[in-house]
Amino acid sequence: MPKRVRGPIVIVGTGLAGGNAAKELRKQGYAGELLILTDEPSFPFGRPPLTKGYLRGEENLAGWMVAPADWYGSHQVQVVPARVSRVDPAAREIKLEDGNVVGYERLLLATGGRNRRFDVPGSSLPGIHQLRTIAECDRIKRAAKPGARAVVVGSGFIGSEVAASLRQLGLRVTSVMRGKAPLDAVLGPEVGAVFAAIHRDAGIELVVEDEVVRFEGSLHVERVVTKKGRRIACDLAIVAVGIEPNVEIVKGSGVATRDGILVDATCRTNLARIFAAGDVANHLHPIFGRVRVEHYNNAEKMGAAAARSMLGSRTAYRYMHSFWSDQFEHKLEYIGHARKWDRFVVRGSLDERKFVGFYLRAGKVRAAVGLNRGGDPEQDKNGELAKAGRLIVKGARPSPRLLADQKARLE
């Protein structure tokens, strides 16, 4: 691995991608000045427990830290509280909101995303929560009293996991969504229907094909009103309508953006010496084309890949995307990337909630999902999902009959 960089490397953002980039830089032998600029109060950590174990009070975040707090000092990594206002590539400088300037030799933009604004009447009432930071999670925990009435707005992974956790805490939960079922926009109608049944069986009320248009209350949120006229009483509401990438600091800089910061297969932007990774990076993947992925596994691995590129590597970031979701006693695993597909093939039983599903487009396997079956594609290399990943890499076009046949080999 070439290590030609001598000047300072600056990482903007202390999310999972930025933290793993710093670790990888030191692991690869970079001994120069290394700064992380952050507007968050914590050291880099993984966010998954904020919707699950940490929210439910079952675990702390110690096991989710990228590195122990003392690692940064012992490895001469400066973590600097600062708000960045803009990047000046011509001067190789970062302008801070307090007027200070930080120079760089290489720059990694790991600015992540922020919760998408939900501007409807009453949205500023106390008792309406977002969830992305530890502080936001702690506020929800304090409000999540058994028997309280909660409305969750949105049914993606954050919304679905929060709804499940609140129900497990003994709250009465109503989930309002534009789609017909939780997660159907990402996983399709078949898998969405399974999760709808899981949530309803657990006592969650699903308000489908509808949307919140207003919050009402005097000093605190008391109810939500939907487009179809439903009026749902609540003691708290959680808005989970997605994130948008933080690209403002590069506006006007010449760094190309489109649904995030555009990077090539090696995490490089269109400007020399500037890289991007994690939720903010719209990456040119060798298999899937342009993708921007907002999952833990990608941020972890892409941060490390960007670090190697900053040190001179030209190896493409080819990670076979995967992610997971825990809801109640059910475990979902996913590998690949499929925004669109023309066929969905099931191996196992949707009704029994134990299956592997394959997403095909023009005959090729583009992704696979497993619910309570298939193994962890990162750990179980002989599992069905790991084998599905190898089919994706090959560009294989297996027979749908073979995919559905539980006795047939996937390789």
Side-chain angles (χ1 to χ4, degrees):
M1 170 69 66
K3 302 176 182 65
R4 296 187 292 270
V5 180
R6 294 187 180 276
I9 289 180
V10 177
I11 298 170
V12 180
T14 51
L16 199 62
N20 276 283
K23 280 187 69 176
E24 186 69 12
L25 286 166
R26 290 303 192 224
K27 178 181 176 182
Q28 294 294 331
Y30 172 70
E33 188 178 2
L34 179 53
L35 285 79
I36 302 178
L37 305 180
T38 177
D39 60 1
E40 291 196 36
S42 64
F43 287 103
F45 73 100
R47 300 182 194 274
L50 297 186
T51 60
K52 300 186 274 286
Y54 183 78
L55 176 58
R56 296 193 299 269
E58 298 168 356
E59 64 175 321
N60 60 36
L61 298 175
W64 292 89
M65 305 303 291
V66 171
D70 60 2
W71 179 90
Y72 299 90
S74 65
H75 288 78
Q76 291 77 53
V77 178
Q78 302 176 56
V79 180
V80 181
R83 288 186 176 273
V84 175
S85 60
R86 66 187 181 92
V87 173
D88 183 350
R92 288 191 216 162
E93 291 179 342
I94 301 161
K95 314 293 184 181
L96 306 183
E97 287 187 358
D98 63 8
N100 287 322
V101 174
V102 177
Y104 66 86
E105 172 66 22
R106 295 283 189 276
L107 171 63
L108 176 63
L109 300 169
T111 50
R114 61 185 179 276
N115 291 330
R116 187 170 288 124
R117 291 179 62 86
F118 191 65
D119 289 326
V120 300
S123 60
S124 62
L125 280 168
I128 300 172
H129 304 269
Q130 299 257 1
L131 177 55
R132 188 161 181 83
T133 68
I134 297 171
E136 289 168 337
C137 187
D138 287 340
R139 285 194 287 271
I140 295 172
K141 289 171 72 172
R142 289 192 291 270
K145 307 298 184 185
R149 301 163 299 178
V151 171
V152 179
V153 183
S155 64
F157 283 101
I158 300 298
S160 296
E161 291 173 0
V162 167
S165 287
L166 293 179
R167 186 71 191 109
Q168 288 174 282
L169 287 170
L171 281 76
R172 291 175 283 171
V173 180
T174 300
S175 182
V176 182
M177 63 199 72
R178 290 181 175 179
K180 294 182 178 180
L183 301 170
D184 63 353
V186 178
L187 301 177
E190 300 90 348
V191 181
V194 174
F195 274 91
I198 288 170
H199 281 225
R200 287 190 175 111
D201 287 352
I204 297 173
E205 180 186 9
L206 302 184
V207 178
V208 302
E209 297 183 283
D210 205 349
E211 57 186 293
V212 172
V213 295
R214 187 167 69 254
F215 295 98
E216 293 181 343
S218 52
L219 300 177
H220 191 276
V221 67
E222 297 173 6
R223 71 191 65 84
V224 302
V225 180
T226 75
K227 190 173 185 179
K228 291 185 176 180
R230 288 283 304 270
R231 296 169 64 82
I232 306 166
C234 63
D235 301 298
L236 68 154
I238 296 90
V239 175
V241 293
I243 74 165
E244 50 191 17
N246 291 323
V247 300
E248 286 71 21
I249 65 171
V250 298
K251 284 187 176 178
S253 69
V255 174
T257 63
R258 188 176 71 246
D259 183 30
I261 296 173
L262 296 177
V263 296
D264 66 10
T266 62
C267 305
R268 290 169 166 83
T269 70
N270 61 308
L271 297 187
R273 305 173 188 273
I274 301 180
F275 304 72
D279 290 2
V280 77
N282 189 327
H283 173 241
L284 185 58
H285 194 280
I287 297 173
F288 303 118
R290 283 236 162 259
V291 295
R292 188 175 67 80
V293 177
E294 300 170 359
H295 292 293
Y296 174 97
N297 289 346
N298 177 62
E300 178 184 50
K301 293 173 175 60
M302 195 178 194
R308 294 189 291 271
S309 292
M310 295 173 85
L311 296 178
S313 171
R314 287 286 175 176
T315 301
Y317 176 61
R318 303 181 62 88
Y319 174 61
M320 180 57 59
H321 292 295
S322 71
F323 60 83
W324 80 95
S325 178
D326 299 314
Q327 297 178 40
F328 301 106
E329 71 273 24
H330 303 286
K331 177 81 169 185
L332 177 140
E333 297 274 4
Y334 182 104
I335 188 165
H337 187 86
R339 288 196 185 100
K340 297 179 181 179
W341 57 92
D342 50 40
R343 189 160 187 174
F344 182 70
V345 179
V346 175
R347 172 181 286 215
S349 171
L350 295 171
D351 291 338
E352 294 176 8
R353 301 170 185 173
K354 190 174 184 179
F355 62 86
V356 173
F358 303 89
Y359 299 87
L360 279 64
R361 188 166 190 186
K364 283 187 179 182
V365 181
R366 304 296 288 174
V369 63
L371 184 66
N372 303 319
R373 176 173 171 167
D376 180 343
E378 299 276 323
Q379 303 293 330
D380 184 3
K381 298 305 180 183
N382 292 316
E384 290 166 302
L385 285 182
K387 291 177 180 178
R390 294 193 280 274
L391 293 176
I392 297 168
V393 171
K394 294 176 186 174
R397 300 174 187 268
S399 158
R401 182 179 296 179
L402 178 147
L403 293 176
D405 184 351
Q406 303 205 60
K407 297 180 181 179
R409 292 173 57 87
L410 289 177
E411 293 179 308

